[in-house]
Amino acid sequence: MKSISDNALMLKVKAGQLAALGLLFERYKKILFSFFYRMNADQELSEDLVQMGCERILKYRKGFKGDGDYKVWMFHVARNVNIDHFRNSSRFKNEDIQNFSELSDGARYVDETMGRDEELNILKLALDKLDHEKKEVLVLSKIEGVKYKEIGQVLNCSEGTVKVKVFRAMQSLKKEFLNIQKTV
């Protein structure tokens, strides 16, 4: 069944063959969970948001055109689920960055004497200080490995705009990291 493309499966779901959504769910449940967990650092909430995301995909299946990449459409839906959840709950939790270490790999601003755990803790604190938009773009690009072009489609902006957003988010992260590092 792996040979059937994501778009073909979603077009089947759109046509009323709802069993195809189960295959898409199996393919993407870990990716969606990872996205939500990194945005929220709450396992139970992330599991709930994955389910809400699948429900929303089912609800809005008629909106899938099939001319773009399913993964981009899915992340667009997931992003809206996350935003709606926090708009409704009016709370924003910190994210887990254990696998976000590539941000600091080889970074010139990291003290060579600093231990890896301490570096990750400072990086987490710095990331926690970023606004939601900057966190989101870093999670999508650096953790989830979503290409800039696809992030642009999710955020409804150009690839160039995404590059600028990632650059600015990284600059803000670096600034926060250095400020925290000075106090430690």
Side-chain angles (χ1 to χ4, degrees):
M1 239 358 177
K2 188 71 171 170
S3 63
I4 298 176
S5 74
D6 297 336
N7 281 20
L9 285 172
M10 190 59 207
L11 288 172
K12 286 183 177 194
V13 172
K14 182 178 179 177
Q17 298 176 25
L18 303 183
L21 186 59
L23 293 172
L24 286 170
F25 177 77
E26 288 302 316
R27 287 182 187 178
Y28 286 100
K29 67 182 176 185
K30 289 180 183 177
I31 293 169
L32 284 174
F33 176 82
S34 176
F35 171 74
F36 288 127
Y37 187 76
R38 293 184 196 295
M39 292 302 295
N40 307 308
D42 184 327
Q43 182 175 349
E44 289 180 26
L45 173 61
S46 298
E47 290 169 354
D48 290 344
L49 292 175
V50 168
Q51 293 299 319
M52 285 186 231
C54 288
E55 290 171 7
R56 183 112 20 125
I57 286 170
L58 184 60
K59 180 178 179 179
Y60 294 106
R61 67 185 179 268
K62 299 291 184 190
F64 181 74
K65 305 274 188 255
D67 52 357
D69 187 9
Y70 167 76
K71 188 175 178 182
V72 170
W73 187 77
M74 176 198 68
F75 270 122
H76 188 74
V77 171
R79 179 175 182 259
N80 287 336
V81 166
N82 197 53
I83 289 169
D84 289 348
H85 171 75
F86 286 103
R87 187 176 295 141
N88 294 335
S89 68
S90 71
R91 66 182 174 87
F92 191 80
K93 288 188 146 190
N94 300 331
E95 59 198 81
D96 181 350
I97 59 160
Q98 289 302 314
N99 294 324
F100 206 38
S101 61
E102 71 268 11
L103 282 178
S104 62
D105 285 345
R108 292 184 198 109
Y109 56 90
V110 175
D111 184 351
E112 294 298 325
T113 62
M114 186 182 301
R116 186 69 167 167
D117 289 340
E118 183 180 0
E119 179 184 318
L120 283 173
N121 287 336
I122 293 173
L123 188 58
K124 182 183 184 312
L125 291 171
L127 194 59
D128 289 345
K129 291 186 177 239
L130 297 181
D131 64 51
H132 178 76
E133 183 179 341
K134 288 178 181 171
K135 281 183 184 183
E136 184 176 58
V137 76
L138 288 177
V139 167
L140 286 171
S141 65
K142 301 299 182 189
I143 295 177
E144 298 302 329
V146 179
K147 295 176 182 164
Y148 289 167
K149 181 178 180 180
E150 294 172 337
I151 295 172
Q153 292 170 340
V154 169
L155 300 178
N156 295 321
C157 62
S158 71
E159 183 177 351
T161 301
V162 173
K163 289 178 183 179
V164 170
K165 287 178 184 262
V166 170
F167 176 79
R168 289 180 180 163
M170 290 296 290
Q171 293 299 312
S172 295
L173 183 64
K174 178 181 177 181
K175 180 181 175 184
E176 293 298 337
F177 184 93
L178 289 171
N179 287 339
I180 294 168
Q181 187 181 27
K182 288 178 189 175
T183 63
V184 174

